[in-house]
């Protein structure tokens, strides 16, 4: 956009769309970037002036999120998902192929301003990788042929809307359905069932069910809802956590894609039970392709009086749902960081307490629940807590939806009653020769062959849903190194143990990979992991070293065979760093080198 008045007009239109609310800043930045391609400092300054907030506030929000750009990233911004499963499916060669085609360096824009190509964290397509995003639209199952097709379309400047629609097909791959995925209740059935039970009755059923949150921590949902209902506040909010950034997890994507009714009805039931009037779905930017159909679904619910005023004829039961888009930050899955993001800020986790149930979105009582947890509430509304409690194990009731990927014949979505053995899942998905399963993503646990008899359950192997399989051709050191890079990239930088620890772990893993690691690094990796676990501010830092600790313990030979046979090799090669000085001074004799015997 060349004309200054056009820029002013665009900003004005977007601000009007969001009623000039600074707490909508992340959405405002998205819309402006959609129009301009990137968010320059001048645009930020103009926006700050119009919103009457500080330049620093707007800029810090822009700079925090990976999908907001301060400089032009080209008409086509292509990002290759770089989860370990994408790597196993060959993403690196495809990435290089595309860079070569455009004669580009990673992250740099072509001279004609047409295209940039870079890597990004897991995009949640692990069952159909390697995956890419083109201007945040997902394309899966990349092959050398598909790379060439994409390159040709980009070179010809074909608008995304005219690309073959098959490129953007994202499959559900549901391989095993149980009571959630196998049922198809009528629209509104669960809301009516909840209303028939009454607010107290619905809460009682939730308590009876012993439903625990599916986002990872496994907190009892009824306790959360009750605390929110009882907290003092002018407004209550229901937030659906659709950030799903944990590498290897994609079940929420499938639930949002094909079970949106369950998700939204779960939000309505939560609102009814706690007395909330507004719901917010936080949708990760990688799932942006879902937004139009989710908006259409919400419109359909409004038309059926399942949202809006006096829902299903219950006087005074008013509730509606808005969709907010994330912008490429794994930490925004952490509930307080997510709330910060919803309020238009950088997604840095808050100090807790106070917890969101007492002081959440806009400092009001807020329930934050995972997508799957909310779906489960619809089952409990329809069938009751006793029915639900009878499924699974005593401490882990109901079913769990797993995202299965990696070395198996049938990657995809598997729903099981809690208590299923890891070996059963492996058998069902056609995994042969598995040497390891990474359960619950990069922050979860790495199980070895000896542990395959263990069970998926909060009391044994808890999981938010990710289930990545590695067979004997895989190198578990490289798996852990991929996760180390992920955490270094995703640490929000707020607290020192995590900011420093993830960076140090990542560089030590690189040093070991280069054959320069020693026993010193092995010891340091474990020491850093322990420091981060005990002193990081939030769950990201506390769990970022898990995979390192597990693989060092269970796959030690993968590390040891790379170690240099000395006690210590400095991380920084000072002599090499002085090469430029030697060159400038025209000297390369023994006296110009450090540590040389003369
Ligand atoms: C780094 C980090 C990332 C997280 N990402 C997610 C996520 O993507 N989705 C999610 O539901 N919960 C995520 N959580 C957990 C949330 O903080 C929160 O516990 C959850 O949304 C609560 O919902 P539940 O009780 O239904 O599980 C994450 C936590 C941490 C520490
Ligand atoms: S632990 Fe990491 S992600 Fe969490 S607040 Fe600290 S720096 Fe940020």
């Amino acid at each position: 956009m060349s004309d200054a008045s056009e820029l002013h007009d665009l900003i004005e239109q977007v601000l009007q769309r969001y009623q000039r609310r600074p707490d909508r800043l992340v959405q405002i930045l998205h819309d402006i970037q959609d129009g301009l391609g990137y968010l320059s400092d001048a645009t930020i300054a103009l926006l700050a002036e119009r919103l009457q907030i500080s330049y620093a506030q707007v800029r810090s929000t822009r700079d925090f999120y990976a999908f907001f750009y301060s400089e032009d990233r080209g008409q086509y911004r292509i990002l290759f998902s770089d989860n370990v499963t994408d790597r196993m499916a060959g993403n690196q060669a495809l990435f290089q192929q595309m860079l070569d085609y455009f004669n580009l360096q990673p992250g740099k824009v072509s001279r004609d301003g047409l295209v940039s190509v870079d890597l990004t964290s897991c995009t949640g397509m692990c069952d159909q990788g390697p995956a890419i995003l083109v201007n945040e639209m997902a394309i899966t199952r990349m092959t050398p042929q598909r790379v060439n097709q994409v390159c040709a379309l980009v070179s010809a400047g074909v608008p995304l809307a005219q690309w073959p629609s098959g490129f953007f097909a994202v499959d559900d791959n549901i391989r095993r359905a149980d009571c959630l995925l196998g049922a198809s209740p009528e629209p509104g059935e669960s809301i009516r069932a909840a209303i028939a039970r009454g607010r107290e009755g619905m809460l009682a059923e939730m308590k009876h069910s012993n439903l625990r949150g599916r986002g990872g921590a496994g907190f009892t949902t009824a306790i959360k809802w009750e605390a929110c209902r009882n907290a003092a506040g002018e407004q209550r909010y229901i937030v659906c956590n659709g950030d799903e950034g944990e590498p290897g997890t994609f079940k929420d994507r499938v639930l949002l894609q094909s079970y949106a009714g369950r998700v939204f009805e779960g939000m309505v039931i939560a609102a009814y039970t706690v007395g909330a009037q507004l719901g917010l779905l936080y949708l990760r930017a990688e799932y942006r392709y879902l937004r139009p159909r989710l908006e259409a679904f919400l419109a359909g619910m409004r038309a059926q009086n399942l949202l809006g005023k006096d829902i299903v004829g219950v006087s005074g039961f008013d509730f509606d749902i808005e969709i907010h888009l994330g912008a490429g930050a794994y930490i925004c899955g952490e509930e307080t960081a997510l709330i910060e993001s919803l309020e238009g800020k950088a997604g840095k986790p808050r100090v807790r307490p106070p917890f969101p149930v007492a002081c959440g979105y806009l400092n009001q009582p807020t329930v934050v629940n995972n997508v799957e947890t909310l779906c489960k509430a619809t089952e409990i509304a329809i069938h009751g807590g006793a029915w639900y409690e009878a499924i699974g194990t005593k401490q882990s009731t109901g079913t769990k939806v797993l995202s299965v990927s990696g070395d198996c014949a049938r990657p995809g979505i598997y729903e099981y009653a809690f208590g299923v053995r890891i070996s059963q899942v492996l058998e069902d998905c056609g995994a042969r020769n598995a040497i390891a399963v990474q359960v619950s993503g990069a922050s979860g646990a790495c199980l070895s062959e000896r542990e395959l008899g263990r069970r998926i359950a909060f009391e044994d192997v808890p999981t938010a849903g990710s289930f990545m399989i590695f067979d004997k051709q895989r190198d578990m050191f490289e798996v852990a190194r991929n996760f180390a890079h992920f955490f270094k990239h995703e640490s929000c930088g707020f607290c020192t143990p995590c900011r420093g620890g993830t960076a140090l772990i990542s560089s030590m893993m690189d040093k070991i990979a280069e054959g320069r690691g020693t026993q010193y690094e092995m010891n340091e990796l474990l020491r850093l992991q322990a420091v981060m676990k005990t002193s990081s501010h939030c769950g990201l830092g506390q769990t970022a070293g898990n995979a390192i600790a597990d693989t060092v313990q269970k796959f030690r030979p993968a590390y040891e065979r790379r170690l240099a046979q000395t006690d210590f090799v400095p991380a920084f090669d000072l002599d090499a760093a002085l090469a430029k000085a030697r060159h400038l001074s025209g000297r390369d004799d023994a006296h110009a080198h450090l540590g040389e015997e003369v």
Side-chain angles (χ1 to χ4, degrees), residues 41 105 138 179 217 264-265 288 318 386 425 439 448 468 495 501 513 521 541 560:
D41 290 349
Q105 292 297 312
C179 53
F264 292 142
E265 290 198 20
R288 188 178 186 159
D318 303 341
V425 182
V439 182
S448 71
M468 292 185 277
C495 68
E521 274 75 31
E560 284 181 338

Side-chain angles (χ1 to χ4, degrees), residues 331 334 347-350 487 490-500 502 532 535-542:
I331 189 57
E334 195 280 339
K348 298 199 174 175
R350 293 178 177 175
F487 284 118
E490 298 294 345
S491 167
C492 83
F494 172 79
C495 68
T496 310
C498 171
R499 185 181 62 244
T502 53
M532 285 162 62
S535 53
S536 291
H537 174 61
C538 86
L540 187 150
Q542 289 156 13

Side-chain angles (χ1 to χ4, degrees), residues 91-102:
N91 77 332
Q92 284 173 297
L94 301 173
F95 179 55
Q96 194 55 51
Q97 181 188 341
M98 195 173 280
L99 289 171
D100 291 346
Y101 184 99
F102 293 115

Side-chain angles (χ1 to χ4, degrees), residues 56 68 85 92 121 244 266 270 361 418 420 464 497 536 555 565 567 571:
F68 289 150
T85 52
Q92 284 173 297
S121 298
E244 196 165 58
Y361 179 61
F418 266 118
V420 64
S536 291
F555 299 92
Q565 296 308 310
D567 291 339

Side-chain angles (χ1 to χ4, degrees), residues 213-215 224 241 243-245 333-335 368-370 373 539-540:
R214 302 305 200 238
K224 194 181 270 191
N241 188 342
D243 195 53
E244 196 165 58
E334 195 280 339
E335 58 187 6
V368 181
N369 271 139
N370 173 255
T373 313
L540 187 150

